[in-house]
Structure formats: C-alpha cells, structure tokens
RNA sequence: GUAGAUAUAGCUCAGCUGGUUAGAGCGUCGGAUUGUGAUUCCGAAGGUCGUGGGUUCGAGCCCCAUUAUUUACCCCA
C-alpha cells in the first residue's frame, strides 16, 4: 500500500481559521456598503450550462472555462469521426455544464429568466467564487471570490456615480487609502479610433492603449505598427492620450482635441462619452464627494471584456504591486444574447483575494480580526472542571465566545494554547480563588491579573472597547 | 498557449571545485521544586535530498527525462 502525498489542485487554496476570519472581515465591509446603497443579495449555481457561458468572454475566455464531464458514460455519443476531427467536435458531446467564470453573466441569465417577476431597476449584489483555468501567478488564482454589485433596467448615471461612492467607501473603510479609481468611457475610446481615421481594428487599438502604463509609448507604438496602424495615426493618438490636468480639464481638452481631429458628432455621437463622464463628476460633486484626488479620468483605460459600452472602472492600489482589485462598467446589451435586448446595466466587482493580499502586505487587518475565542477557562483538575461548567454557561449566555480547556494539564500548556490562538483572556479559579468565591482574570496582551467576582467579570468581558 | 526559475525536516532555507555519519532557525514534544503564555536555558523526535534513469571509485551537488511549484508574457480580479 503506497502512501500518497496529499495535494490540492493548482491555483486553489485552503483557508485556515485565521485567514477565514480575516476574509470574513473583508466580506463584511463590502456587504455592508452594498446593502447601504440598496443592493440585495443573489446567489446562483456553481454550474451553468455551457450554452450560457460560451461566447460571452471571447475566444480566450472560452479556453479558460472549466467544463464538467457529463455524468454516466460521457463518451457514448462520441463517434470515431469526432475523435479524428479533434477536441472542438467532441466537447459538446461530453460536457454540457461548466463552472461559472464570473458573476455578471449568471446574473444576466437570472434577470432574463425572471424578468416577469423582477421589479426594475433591479439592484443586486453577489459574493461567490468563480473559476478560471488560468495559469496561476501572483494575485491570480483558479478559484477566487468576486463581490459584484450590478443594476439593470436604468440608464441613469446616478448608478455610475454611486459605484464610485461605493468603491471609495469600501477602500477607505479597509484602510486602503492609497488607491486610484480610474474611470473612462467606451465612447471615448471609440472617438480615438475615429480620430485615427479608423485604421486597423478597434479592439487591437484598445488592447494596445490599455498597456500604455505597462509597456510605455514605445511598446505601444511597435505593437500598433505591427497591427497595421500608420505612424501618422499613432502620432495623433499620443497627442490625444497625453492630455494633462485634473478630471474636468482633461475632459475639456479632449473635447477640443477630438473636434480638431475631425471626429464626427452626428453618426454615433462620440462626444457622449465625455458628456457622461462630466455628468458623473457633477453628480459626485452634488453628493459632496470629497475624494476627487483618488478619482482619475484615464483615457487609456480599456479593459478586456467586450460587452462594456459606457463608463468603465478600475481600481489600482498604489502602494502594492498588484493587478487591479476591482473593475466594472456599463453594458447596454448584456441580456441581448439571452433574448432580452435593450436592457442597460452597470456594475462592478471587487476581487477579495487580491484585496486580502494587499491588506496582508500593508498590515492593515485590524487587531484581533483573527481571534474568535475571547476567554479561555483554565482547567486545574477534574473537580475544578465540574465547578467551571456553570461559569462557562454564563459566559456563553452573555455572548462571550469562550471555551474550557478540555484536559486538566499543566497551566503552562493551557496558556500556550491561549496565546497561540490569540485568545485575549484566561480565567482561572483554583482552590485559593474558590475559597474566596473569586476568579482570577489574566489579560494576555498586558500580562495583568485581577481578582474578580463573577458579577464583575462578565461586564468586563462583554465590553466592546477591550 | 510562450519563456525562465526552483524542488533538501511540519515551515523558511544553508550545504564549498563531486569526497566519510545531512545542517541551522522557527515550529512540535519533553525537562529546568507540581498555579501562568509570548521573553531565557537544556534535551528529544523528525529527511529514500520531488520521481526515474545516466556519468563516476564515489552524486544532495554534474547530465537527461518526468512531475510539481513558482515568476514573467498573453489575458484578467
């Protein structure tokens, strides 16, 4: 009999008690903010039909879907001809379900299936894991949690403004004050494309622009030249991209630049992008938003997902080397592929796993976030164990998370246990204390001990500020 | 999918141009007059050096293969 070393699949993780406690802290902050803005929770199945998932994330996204082998004899419909013509032909016959890739598409599917019963505008949040068959690396996992908040059924830019407010509140509550909320508009990108004379393809241009901060002007230039853009067009592009100034100034200057470059106003009204960004800014001002130094209009922000049509968002934590911790945008026609056209939606998502890594690196988890038990009751001997049972019950009735050490061993061992678990208090009643009908309470953080009666004890342990 | 790096104790890592019996710190367990943790001192357990071949008198070290992990690219949270 061979003993095999246990392992877990690539890109997945176990979360130990301390990690779960800290993750729950992040989830709690996000959930409270979402609910404060009127978003209601939704959960959807881990599995979706592949017909729902495929084709929504582009070819690369389809590659990254985890597929679920059909139950039973999954290969019963596969013919020798299928095998000869390759995996693409076989796939629909052996797998009809897959793990969800994000939360937005299942949400769109849910909205379409329940359109008769939902009240619009429909605001929902969703905190669940998603799976991608990516190559794992720093800040990138195959199983990770997303925290989405989306509204469908309204075009109002109030939603965009409130997304900025929610992003800002979550980040500030978590202590991630060194952040930048980047915002752009798909129409602004479209205007760039027109300003360049509609050379090459739109997506090639967007993908290249998005990399500007990573590979620099030279890198983008070579990439665009390879994709068939002319040197003149690239030159125009960088003149447009390098507009300076604050939020409002950049909007003004781009407007002028677009007009000079001859971007037509009538066809698809490309100036609407700039107008909408301006309106979002005005709504935020009206609300009394004070964090404009963290809100940046970044004309280079493109984002990969092809379904965005309006404002797009992304959050960068400036003092940590980490990919974006949040992203989102407006999509005018997400439900269209499910047979419900013309429903506009806007939403965004936090990546909890990356937020965790940021908080961890910056040491921003609050003290005691990992500790569950508040008071360890020491166990001297069998007799004292019996004596302490009613005390334990009273502590728990007072909602003090507490535990009695289950064995009568040396106190040193029991203290070590409390210390390792981060338990702040140890309660002792040996023969001396029992004779006086008192307890000894030791605060492990300060090392101080005090003699107390049970009546004095409980208020001390229930007080919040200790 | 492309390119690189790494693999030695539970964890983090040393290990000299290839040379006797494999090293540390942390952790675990035990002890330092039997009622006190994190700080001190002493001791113990714990390793087929990822796996399989090869070169050599001799391999943790060199070569090949394989698997796993990891970083960057693509893409993305």
């Amino acid at each position: 009999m061979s003993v095999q070393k246990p392992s877990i699949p690539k890109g997945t993780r176990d979360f130990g008690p301390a990690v779960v406690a800290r993750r729950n802290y992040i989830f709690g902050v996000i959930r409270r903010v979402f609910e404060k803005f009127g978003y209601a929770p939704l959960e959807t199945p881990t599995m979706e039909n592949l017909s729902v998932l495929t084709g929504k994330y582009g070819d690369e996204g389809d590659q990254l879907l985890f597929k679920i082998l059909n139950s039973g004899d999954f290969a019963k419909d596969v013919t020798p001809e299928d095998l000869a013509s390759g995996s693409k032909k076989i796939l629909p016959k052996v797998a009809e379900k897959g793990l969800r890739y994000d939360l937005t598409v299942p949400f769109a599917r849910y909205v379409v299936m329940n359109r008769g019963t939902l009240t619009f505008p429909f605001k929902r949040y969703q905190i669940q894991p998603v799976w991608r068959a990516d190559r794992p690396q720093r800040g990138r996992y195959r199983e990770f949690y997303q925290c989405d908040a989306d509204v469908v059924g309204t075009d109002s830019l109030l939603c965009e403004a409130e997304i900025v407010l929610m992003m800002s509140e979550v980040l500030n509550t978590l202590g991630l004050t060194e952040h930048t909320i980047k915002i752009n508009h798909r129409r602004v990108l479209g205007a760039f494309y027109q300003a360049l004379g509609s050379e090459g393809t739109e997506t090639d241009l967007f993908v290249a622009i998005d990399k500007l901060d990573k590979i620099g002007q030279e890198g983008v230039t070579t990439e665009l030249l390879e994709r068939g853009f002319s040197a003149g067009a690239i030159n125009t592009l960088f003149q447009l991209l390098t507009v300076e100034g604050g939020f409002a100034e950049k909007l003004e200057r781009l407007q002028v630049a677009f007009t000079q470059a001859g971007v037509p106003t009538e066809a698809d009204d490309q100036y609407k992008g700039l107008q909408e960004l301006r309106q979002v800014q005005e709504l935020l001002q009206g609300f009394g938003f004070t964090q404009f130094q963290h809100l940046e209009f970044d004309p280079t922000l493109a984002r990969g997902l092809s379904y965005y049509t309006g404002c797009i968002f992304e959050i960068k934590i400036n003092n940590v080397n980490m990919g974006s911790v949040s992203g989102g945008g407006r999509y005018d026609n997400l439900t269209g592929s499910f047979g419900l056209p013309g429903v506009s939606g806007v939403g965004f998502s936090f990546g909890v796993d990356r937020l965790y890594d940021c908080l961890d690196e910056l040491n921003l988890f609050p003290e005691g976030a990992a500790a569950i038990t508040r008071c360890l009751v020491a166990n001297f001997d069998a007799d004292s164990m019996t004596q302490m049972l009613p005390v334990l019950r009273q502590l728990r009735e007072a909602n003090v998370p507490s535990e009695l050490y289950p064995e009568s061993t040396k106190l040193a061992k029991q203290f070590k246990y409390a210390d390792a678990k981060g338990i702040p208090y140890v309660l002792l009643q040996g023969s001396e204390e029992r004779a006086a009908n008192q307890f000894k309470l030791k605060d492990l953080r300060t090392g101080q001990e005090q003699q107390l009666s049970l009546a004095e004890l409980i208020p001390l342990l229930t007080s919040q500020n200790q």
Side-chain angles (χ1 to χ4, degrees), chain A residues 140-268:
Chain A
R140 170 179 267 178
Y141 308 98
R142 289 187 148 185
E143 176 183 61
F144 61 97
Y145 274 72
Q146 288 194 328
C147 304
D148 272 39
D150 293 80
V151 201
V152 289
T154 172
D155 293 331
S156 171
L157 292 171
L158 177 65
C159 304
E160 275 84 342
E162 290 201 333
I163 283 174
V164 174
L165 294 177
M166 287 190 283
M167 286 175 159
S168 182
E169 181 165 345
V170 166
L171 293 171
N172 286 319
T173 306
L174 291 174
L176 292 168
T177 49
E178 300 290 310
H179 62 262
T180 303
I181 300 174
K182 293 182 177 179
I183 184 168
N184 193 14
H185 198 289
R186 210 59 192 243
R187 293 270 180 99
V188 171
L189 292 167
F192 282 128
Y193 184 62
Q194 297 200 347
L196 266 56
S198 300
E199 294 179 4
T201 69
E202 246 186 344
T203 42
D204 283 348
L205 177 66
F206 297 167
V207 168
I209 289 177
D210 196 37
K211 291 187 217 162
L212 182 60
D213 59 339
K214 208 178 219 172
I215 61 178
Q217 190 161 336
E218 288 168 36
V220 174
T221 304
T222 45
E223 180 151 342
L224 285 176
L225 286 172
E226 282 169 15
R227 307 277 176 179
F229 289 83
S230 69
I234 296 168
N235 195 32
T236 311
L237 174 70
F238 285 115
Q239 283 178 4
L240 294 171
L241 284 179
T242 47
V243 287
E244 300 272 322
F247 198 103
E249 287 169 295
K250 274 193 195 169
L251 290 174
E252 296 295 331
R253 289 177 188 174
L254 262 187
Q255 173 104 40
V256 173
F258 283 159
T259 315
Q260 283 173 351
V263 176
T265 44
E266 59 285 351
D268 199 15

Side-chain angles (χ1 to χ4, degrees), chain A residues 97 175 196 318 363 387 428:
Chain A
K97 298 181 293 295
L196 266 56
N318 298 322
N363 229 343
Q387 298 272 341
L428 306 107

Side-chain angles (χ1 to χ4, degrees), chain A residues 57-113:
Chain A
Y57 311 105
D59 285 345
E60 301 225 8
D62 287 352
Q63 296 284 317
L64 299 179
L65 287 173
F66 277 107
K67 290 102 180 170
I68 297 169
L69 219 45
N70 290 338
S71 319
D73 182 8
F74 54 84
K76 64 181 188 300
D77 295 329
V78 179
T79 64
E81 295 81 63
D82 294 335
L83 283 171
S85 51
S87 54
K88 279 224 173 90
K89 190 88 174 184
I90 303 167
L91 179 64
K93 298 195 172 182
V94 298
E96 56 188 25
K97 298 181 293 295
L99 300 180
R100 65 166 115 63
Y101 179 88
D102 70 358
L103 300 178
T104 311
V105 165
F107 169 59
R109 193 261 312 144
Y110 171 85
V111 168
V112 172
M113 285 178 69

Side-chain angles (χ1 to χ4, degrees), chain A residues 173-425:
Chain A
T173 306
L174 291 174
L176 292 168
T177 49
E178 300 290 310
H179 62 262
T180 303
I181 300 174
K182 293 182 177 179
I183 184 168
N184 193 14
H185 198 289
R186 210 59 192 243
R187 293 270 180 99
V188 171
L189 292 167
F192 282 128
Y193 184 62
Q194 297 200 347
L196 266 56
S198 300
E199 294 179 4
T201 69
E202 246 186 344
T203 42
D204 283 348
L205 177 66
F206 297 167
V207 168
I209 289 177
D210 196 37
K211 291 187 217 162
L212 182 60
D213 59 339
K214 208 178 219 172
I215 61 178
Q217 190 161 336
E218 288 168 36
V220 174
T221 304
T222 45
E223 180 151 342
L224 285 176
L225 286 172
E226 282 169 15
R227 307 277 176 179
F229 289 83
S230 69
I234 296 168
N235 195 32
T236 311
L237 174 70
F238 285 115
Q239 283 178 4
L240 294 171
L241 284 179
T242 47
V243 287
E244 300 272 322
F247 198 103
E249 287 169 295
K250 274 193 195 169
L251 290 174
E252 296 295 331
R253 289 177 188 174
L254 262 187
Q255 173 104 40
V256 173
F258 283 159
T259 315
Q260 283 173 351
V263 176
T265 44
E266 59 285 351
D268 199 15
D269 196 8
Q270 298 292 7
Y271 296 102
K272 195 176 163 193
L274 296 171
Q275 286 164 16
E276 290 197 355
L277 289 171
R278 195 171 296 122
Q279 285 173 47
V280 169
Q281 185 209 4
E282 285 163 6
L283 284 165
L284 286 169
Q285 279 169 337
F287 183 85
F289 181 69
T290 56
Q291 305 254 313
F292 279 102
Q293 76 275 20
H294 294 308
L295 181 66
E296 182 192 345
F297 168 40
D298 179 1
T300 69
L301 177 65
R303 298 193 53 73
L305 289 172
S306 44
Y307 49 67
Y308 291 127
T309 52
C311 287
I312 44 187
F313 306 96
E314 196 164 285
I315 298 177
K316 184 89 183 64
I317 306 300
N318 298 322
N319 47 353
V320 180
N321 176 24
M322 177 75 62
S324 67
V325 296
S326 175
R330 178 170 288 275
Y331 36 86
D332 283 337
N333 201 23
L334 187 67
T335 56
S337 62
F338 298 124
L340 183 64
V343 177
S344 182
V346 60
F348 74 110
S349 171
F350 281 110
V352 177
D353 306 83
R354 286 188 177 175
L355 282 175
Y356 184 99
D357 292 343
C358 288
L359 291 183
D360 198 35
E361 193 166 322
L362 297 172
N363 229 343
L364 286 174
F365 283 109
E367 190 82 12
I372 301 290
T373 306
R374 188 153 172 82
C375 179
L376 177 73
V377 179
N379 189 335
F380 281 83
D381 48 48
D383 189 36
S384 102
M385 183 163 152
T386 318
Q387 298 272 341
M388 292 310 265
L389 291 177
V391 176
L392 189 62
R393 195 196 74 222
Q394 287 179 66
L395 286 172
R396 287 173 178 165
E397 280 174 354
N399 283 320
V400 178
S402 43
E403 55 183 306
L404 174 64
Y405 197 85
E407 288 165 39
S408 310
T409 61
K410 294 192 307 182
L411 281 186
K413 189 165 181 175
Q414 302 188 33
F415 272 90
K416 264 187 188 170
Y417 174 81
D419 188 55
K421 239 181 130 174
I423 301 174
Y425 290 101

Side-chain angles (χ1 to χ4, degrees), chain A residues 113-128:
Chain A
M113 285 178 69
N114 295 277
R115 63 184 120 170
T117 56
L118 296 178
T119 305
F120 292 96
F122 180 60
K123 302 171 81 170
R124 82 88 174 81
Y125 74 86
Q126 190 168 350
I127 301 181
Q128 289 189 279

